[in-house]
Amino acid sequence: MNGFHWDWAFTWEVLPMILSAAKVTLLATLLGSIFAIVMGLVFALLRRNNSRILRISTYWVVEFIRSTPLLVQIFFLYYVMPEFGISMSPLATGVFALGLHYGAYLSEVFRSGIDGIEKGQWEAARALNLTIFDTYKDIVLPQAIRPMIPATGNYIIAMFKETPQLSAITLLEMLQMAKIIGSENFRYLEPFTLVGILYLVFSLLAAYGIHQVERRFPKEGFSLK
Amino acid sequence: MEFGEIVSVLLQGAIVTIEIVAMALPLAVLMAFSFGLIRLYAPAPFKQIAIAYIEFFRGTSALIQLYWIYFVLPFFGITIDAMTAAVVALGLNIGAYGTEVVRGAIQSVPKGQYEASIALNFTASQRLWRIIMPQALVNMIPPFGNLAIELVKATSLVSLITIGDLTFKAKMLADTTLQVGEIFGVVLLFYFVMAQFLVFFIRRLETHLSKGLGRGGLHS
């Protein structure tokens, strides 16, 4: 134990290393978000499917994913998938796990967004003889997207804050880097504090960004084009 | 390894997980109520402190908070064992989210209730504890239930500071027996069952608390 003064020289020395690891964190979050949005839409549409069995089984799959810990899901994918002949890198596993986990949460957001569209809009689309694909693309989604943005944004920020768990399968993101630096120098104060501050800064920036995105969508009547 | 043996080792881990939840949950509720009320009603400096606590714990990652408390506090001369670090980190983290539940629930009580209690000349504390809180509590139960499930899930993080919880035992068994499929499958089921148990309990609590509040229209 070498007392606790904040060592600025050490801070400046380790900052570039942590920032370079931040790229991995951000990449995992970005790819994870894209995958989660796709999965969320798939789950949401399956919940609206005509087949009762599909609806109910999707409900329980979503419920199961939501009520088990992300860390265990990460371990499951990383250690069990190779048994089925599917080996993935830590980053791919992480993106897959984050996408699946948050896709389950997002499906509820998308479902309520789609359910919020008035019945008359569906009826009008049918009266105009639009295909189901065009109905979603031109009528339903353009109206449903705006109310979905805040909740989707919250989940993406939450996902970002769960990326440190990927250090458990040796992905070299910010926390793993801080841990390595800490154990090499026997100083955890600066690296862990830096990582914490960076998370706080990124979260606040993301919250601001999402607010701006939301403002760009007018409340009514805009087209996806 | 026999399947029965695996399950019995995992059960030991599950007990540790339940212990952590049982200790962290009261801490989280305490933090949620005290800081939620401070944020709503306390004068300026206290309010700023509450906001700093809430934003810090909601803006950074739970795992980093756990590591910070476990690895960094010893440098300040505060050495705590892993179990205490786990309970404190998770309690403070979930508690920070809880403050917003408390605040939202109190603010969602209809304004007329405040006005009526002022008109009836109740004191400030009577207004809060006898009029507002009983109604706000019912609103708080569902989001608090979600947070309790979040807490159960978050306990898996303590395995990374070498506490022998369910996830830790699973990782250990997986490394030694290589029967990864069964082990992680059983673990996921365990967590799922714990979460469903909480859901059931929360629904009961909600029905119990909303009795006599005249919700859902008049009954005969």
Side-chain angles (χ1 to χ4, degrees):
Chain A
M1 299 289 136
N2 41 6
F4 99 89
H5 57 279
W6 183 275
D7 186 344
W8 281 106
F10 184 57
T11 308
W12 293 123
E13 192 190 318
V14 303
L15 185 61
M17 294 159 86
I18 289 181
L19 280 178
S20 76
K23 285 180 204 152
V24 179
T25 300
L26 293 175
L27 182 68
T29 310
L30 181 72
L31 296 177
S33 311
I34 295 170
F35 189 49
I37 288 171
V38 173
M39 285 312 295
L41 268 178
V42 170
F43 284 138
L45 294 178
L46 281 175
R47 286 291 305 275
R48 297 183 61 87
N49 197 283
N50 280 331
S51 148
R52 197 179 132 84
I53 301 165
L54 259 176
R55 283 205 308 269
I56 291 174
S57 46
T58 312
Y59 169 81
W60 282 108
V61 168
V62 168
E63 195 61 24
F64 188 81
I65 295 175
R66 292 203 312 165
S67 52
T68 52
L70 177 66
L71 184 61
V72 182
Q73 292 168 1
I74 292 170
F75 281 146
F76 187 90
L77 290 175
Y78 194 62
Y79 293 106
V80 179
M81 294 312 274
E83 305 252 296
F84 297 98
I86 308 166
S87 291
M88 291 188 287
S89 69
L91 180 65
T93 310
V95 168
F96 199 52
L98 288 172
L100 209 59
H101 195 78
Y102 280 92
Y105 281 100
L106 285 179
S107 72
E108 293 295 293
V109 174
F110 296 163
R111 203 167 61 89
S112 70
I114 293 171
D115 285 349
I117 300 303
E118 282 167 48
K119 214 176 153 208
Q121 300 283 325
W122 294 95
E123 289 166 352
R126 166 161 285 189
L128 290 168
N129 211 13
L130 293 181
T131 62
I132 187 74
F133 181 77
D134 281 339
T135 307
Y136 271 107
K137 179 169 83 65
D138 293 332
I139 311 292
V140 176
L141 287 181
Q143 298 181 78
I145 282 176
R146 192 180 196 273
M148 290 175 190
I149 293 172
T152 307
N154 282 345
Y155 281 126
I156 288 175
I157 295 175
M159 172 194 288
F160 169 65
K161 286 184 298 178
E162 297 221 63
T163 48
Q165 295 182 26
L166 299 179
S167 62
I169 52 166
T170 70
L171 182 70
L172 193 58
E173 43 65 73
M174 280 200 277
L175 185 66
Q176 179 78 352
M177 183 59 101
K179 242 161 86 179
I180 292 172
I181 294 169
S183 61
E184 278 173 358
N185 297 282
F186 302 105
R187 277 194 78 88
Y188 287 102
L189 173 63
E190 290 88 354
F192 278 165
T193 308
L194 275 179
V195 173
I197 291 169
L198 283 174
Y199 266 96
L200 190 60
V201 170
F202 283 132
S203 297
L204 294 176
L205 281 177
Y208 177 77
I210 288 156
H211 189 65
Q212 294 302 311
V213 171
E214 194 188 348
R215 279 182 40 178
R216 289 190 55 180
F217 283 86
K219 283 204 170 93
E220 275 173 9
F222 78 100
S223 84
L224 273 181
K225 279 159 205 150
Chain B
M1 219 172 164
E2 294 271 327
F3 188 70
E5 282 178 79
I6 290 177
V7 172
S8 80
V9 174
L10 291 178
L11 266 175
Q12 292 166 15
I15 290 167
V16 177
T17 294
I18 292 168
E19 275 172 15
I20 296 171
V21 173
M23 287 188 282
L25 197 59
L27 177 63
V29 171
L30 182 73
M31 294 306 287
F33 272 92
S34 46
F35 279 85
L37 291 175
I38 289 172
R39 168 128 203 225
L40 273 175
Y41 301 118
F46 299 104
K47 201 177 250 184
Q48 306 316 328
I49 293 169
I51 291 174
Y53 156 70
I54 295 164
E55 290 304 321
F56 177 79
F57 275 93
R58 295 198 319 157
T60 62
S61 182
L63 185 53
I64 292 168
Q65 290 155 18
L66 185 65
Y67 275 179
W68 207 89
I69 287 173
Y70 187 60
F71 290 108
V72 174
L73 281 189
F75 287 92
F76 293 83
I78 308 164
T79 308
I80 50 178
D81 61 303
M83 196 69 174
T84 315
V87 170
V88 169
L90 296 177
L92 293 184
N93 182 278
I94 300 291
Y97 287 93
T99 54
E100 297 301 276
V101 171
V102 171
R103 190 165 70 103
I106 287 177
Q107 285 178 338
S108 72
V109 173
K111 213 168 153 237
Q113 297 285 326
Y114 287 92
E115 290 164 352
S117 57
I118 291 171
L120 289 167
N121 216 8
F122 282 178
T123 65
S125 89
Q126 279 176 327
R127 282 206 296 275
L128 180 63
W129 295 111
R130 311 194 73 153
I131 308 294
I132 305 303
M133 200 53 96
Q135 301 180 64
L137 268 180
V138 182
N139 292 341
M140 284 176 206
I141 298 301
F144 262 135
N146 287 340
L147 281 181
I149 293 171
E150 288 299 318
L151 175 63
V152 171
K153 286 160 56 183
T155 54
S156 65
L157 301 181
V158 305
S159 65
L160 301 176
I161 56 168
T162 68
I163 294 178
D165 77 319
L166 183 50
T167 306
F168 183 87
K169 295 274 191 214
K171 185 77 185 3
M172 191 194 73
L173 276 182
D175 290 343
T176 50
T177 67
L178 301 176
Q179 289 162 291
V180 283
E182 296 100 306
I183 294 166
F184 284 112
V186 170
V187 169
L188 284 172
L189 261 176
F190 272 17
Y191 278 108
F192 182 64
V193 169
M194 283 190 252
Q196 292 305 309
F197 178 77
L198 272 177
V199 169
F200 171 77
F201 180 71
I202 290 153
R203 290 219 177 107
R204 291 286 299 270
L205 191 65
E206 198 187 348
T207 338
H208 179 73
L209 281 178
S210 50
K211 265 180 201 155
L213 276 184
R215 295 196 160 218
L218 294 170
H219 303 288
S220 68

